[in-house]
Amino acid sequence: MSFITIIEQEIKEIINKLGYEIDDVVLSVSNRPDLGEYQLNDAMKLAKKHSVNPREIATKIAEKLSQDPRFTNVNIAGAGFINISISDDY
């Protein structure tokens, strides 16, 4: 199992614990490395499914990721894109 796949599974668990059931999480290499190493666009998909503002969902996800020492530089851009860097220790 690749490093990215492991991280995606861990983020999926975090999102599901927040009450937003999701089948697959897609973590992409960021096209804006100044904002983070990776980006997570799933808040947009969840917002449509749950009829909630994507930024609201992104904020909840980002708060949980920020509490996890494996993730650093967690921030939200635009309507709900989450930027994430991975801790060097992880």
Side-chain angles (χ1 to χ4, degrees):
M1 188 177 288
S2 76
F3 173 74
I4 295 296
T5 303
I6 292 168
I7 295 291
E8 288 171 338
Q9 288 296 320
E10 292 169 352
I11 293 172
K12 176 184 171 183
E13 288 176 23
I14 290 168
I15 293 171
N16 285 333
K17 285 180 183 175
L18 285 170
Y20 299 109
E21 191 170 316
I22 190 167
D23 295 325
D24 294 311
V25 170
V26 179
L27 191 63
S28 306
V29 174
S30 178
N31 57 6
R32 292 281 313 273
D34 56 312
L35 297 177
E37 297 172 317
Y38 300 96
Q39 64 186 58
L40 181 68
N41 303 330
D42 292 305
M44 310 299 266
K45 178 172 44 175
L46 290 167
K48 188 177 270 188
K49 179 179 178 180
H50 294 279
S51 300
V52 178
N53 182 316
R55 185 125 182 139
E56 181 180 325
I57 292 175
T59 299
K60 290 178 182 179
I61 295 169
E63 285 174 358
K64 283 294 185 190
L65 293 176
S66 293
Q67 295 170 3
D68 191 317
R70 296 173 292 185
F71 307 109
T72 61
N73 189 30
V74 179
N75 61 80
I76 301 168
F81 302 103
I82 304 171
N83 299 293
I84 306 166
S85 293
I86 307 297
S87 164
D88 290 337
D89 293 337
Y90 188 66

